[in-house]
Amino acid sequence: MGRYLMLDIGAGTLDILYYDTDQDLHYKAVVRSPVRVLADAVRRTTGDLLVTGGEMGGGPVSQALIDRAATAAVVMSKPAAATIHHDRDRVSAHGIRVVAASEADRLKTDTRFAQVRTADIQPRRLQQIVEGFGVPFAFDAVAICAQDHGAAPAGVSHLDFRHNLFTAALETDPVPQALLYRSGDVPETMNRLSTIARDAEGLPAERVYVMDSGMAAILGASKDRQADGKTRILVLDIATSHTVGAAMEAGVLCGFFEYHTKDVSAALLDRLLRALPEGRLSHRQILDEGGHGAYTRHAFGYDAVEMILATGPRRRLIADARVPVTWGAPWGDNMMTGTVGLLEAVRLREGLPPIDYL
């Protein structure tokens, strides 16, 4: 294999896994997410602000830009404005002026503006972190996962659009790694992942992959040593912003559901985890209940479940559920769930020897 860098870009943290197959060594770090770092950078600037770059995770960054627009001029390139919303009019409603990328580039010479660039990939920061491991900042492959709702066409909700993207891939190949894309092969409608892939091409790597973070977490959780030898499992990843639950049978994805983490509770997750392996969750039902959606392709029954494995920084939310939950720690670390999933997806895609995650 060689030297591999895995990046799980979340709303709260950036989780980093470096793996060297030649020396059979791995190093890891959990640091503040790019959106939080950039939000701080926005707040440190004063006066009028010019924002270039592309779509990245929103949350704190979006709020910092909206707050600035209330007291000063904020000009954003159209690609960067997608960070706040894909609808340009909704961005403008916050008092933010949206311009073409070419116009934003021209304004870079205007000394009235402080400047920031929206990007999930922050090369200098990554280099500092990786070189802090005591290893070279050069890789055979880099793989990155993040949440991407996709750029839905007019009249289609972003949740239905994301659901359709997922199910189209999973109907053909019902495994989480079906949502792993080589850079250059990312569907254009997956705007954030496409932007990440383009930015990551500037990193010193021979190959770049991107993947949805929910699917990476599902695959990573399934590699927990406690799940070794088990055929039918449920995995639950409760991350800072999003929660995903999945039913898996011998590595095949049988169904899943998604919610915003702020909307879940132990009681809700208890009900969902019982219904999922029974095939009793529908996409429309979950949407009507305020969730992101659901998918079912095969039901093996709740009584057949051998383990319910929970991971994610906010997994304590399920501590009071009635279903029996096992705390997961893929490769010995709960925070490495997504990066382990990325590494396993790349290994499977490239047809490489199994990795001993035990």
Side-chain angles (χ1 to χ4, degrees):
M1 289 177 69
R3 296 188 300 270
Y4 286 74
L5 183 68
M6 309 291 131
L7 306 173
D8 181 354
I9 303 173
T13 63
L14 167 62
D15 308 325
I16 303 171
L17 174 65
Y18 172 91
Y19 183 51
D20 185 330
T21 59
D22 296 334
Q23 300 185 59
D24 192 25
L25 292 172
H26 68 274
Y27 305 102
K28 58 192 177 183
V30 178
V31 298
R32 296 189 80 212
S33 63
V35 292
R36 294 183 184 275
V37 170
L38 189 59
D40 286 347
V42 169
R43 295 188 186 100
R44 285 195 299 269
T45 65
T46 58
D48 297 342
L49 184 63
L50 174 65
V51 186
T52 58
E55 181 178 354
M56 69 178 298
V61 168
S62 296
Q63 192 59 54
L65 293 171
I66 291 168
D67 291 345
R68 173 60 63 80
T71 60
V74 175
V75 179
M76 298 186 73
S77 69
K78 186 177 179 181
T83 297
I84 296 178
H85 204 279
H86 291 148
D87 185 337
R88 179 172 178 167
D89 290 339
R90 294 185 63 168
V91 180
S92 299
H94 293 293
I96 296 171
R97 180 183 166 205
V98 181
V99 301
S102 58
E103 173 66 8
D105 287 339
R106 187 187 66 79
L107 290 174
K108 288 180 179 179
T109 61
D110 192 326
T111 56
R112 290 179 301 153
F113 292 100
Q115 298 182 33
V116 296
R117 182 177 186 274
T118 51
D120 284 304
I121 301 298
Q122 300 169 334
R124 291 182 185 177
R125 184 176 180 230
L126 285 175
Q127 184 171 358
Q128 289 175 339
I129 295 168
V130 172
E131 289 181 345
F133 294 155
V135 300
F137 190 63
F139 318 100
D140 291 273
V142 171
I144 308 125
C145 66
Q147 187 88 8
D148 190 344
H149 289 98
V156 178
S157 81
H158 68 277
L159 296 180
D160 282 334
F161 187 69
R162 173 179 165 84
H163 175 76
N164 292 337
L165 284 172
F166 279 23
T167 55
L170 294 172
E171 287 295 333
T172 302
D173 189 12
V175 291
Q177 59 268 26
L179 274 295
L180 177 78
Y181 298 99
R182 181 79 179 264
S183 100
D185 295 331
V186 188
E188 291 183 4
T189 50
M190 301 184 80
N191 195 51
R192 184 184 179 194
L193 287 182
S194 296
T195 301
I196 288 173
R198 286 194 298 270
D199 286 349
E201 288 288 348
L203 298 176
E206 294 181 9
R207 301 178 299 283
V208 172
Y209 296 93
V210 295
M211 187 176 186
D212 176 79
S213 55
M215 290 295 146
I218 290 169
L219 183 57
S222 73
K223 304 310 294 182
D224 187 285
R225 65 180 302 168
Q226 299 169 99
D228 187 49
K230 294 180 171 55
T231 301
R232 299 178 183 90
I233 63 172
L234 302 183
V235 296
L236 178 71
D237 187 71
I238 308 179
T240 303
S241 180
H242 290 82
T243 292
V244 60
M248 298 192 72
E249 183 176 39
V252 173
L253 187 62
C254 298
F256 69 88
F257 63 80
E258 285 188 287
Y259 270 79
H260 275 121
T261 299
K262 65 181 178 60
D263 296 326
V264 302
S265 64
L268 174 64
L269 292 172
D270 189 276
R271 176 171 63 83
L272 293 172
L273 289 170
R274 291 175 186 274
L276 177 63
E278 297 287 343
R280 292 190 282 107
L281 297 181
S282 72
H283 176 62
R284 186 52 50 190
Q285 168 201 347
I286 297 302
L287 288 183
D288 291 343
E289 293 179 1
H292 270 209
Y295 168 75
T296 299
R297 62 172 300 275
H298 171 63
F300 51 71
Y302 180 77
D303 289 342
V305 174
E306 298 169 71
M307 173 178 284
I308 302 174
L309 195 78
T311 61
R314 299 193 62 191
R315 63 181 179 176
R316 298 298 300 181
L317 285 172
I318 200 175
D320 295 329
R322 291 175 296 170
V323 293
V325 175
T326 299
W327 298 129
W331 223 351
D333 192 333
N334 171 45
M335 296 301 290
M336 289 296 110
T337 304
T339 58
V340 167
L342 281 170
L343 182 59
E344 180 66 6
V346 171
R347 183 194 74 78
L348 292 167
R349 175 64 58 85
E350 297 190 349
L352 300 168
I355 297 171
D356 185 3
Y357 295 109
L358 305 182

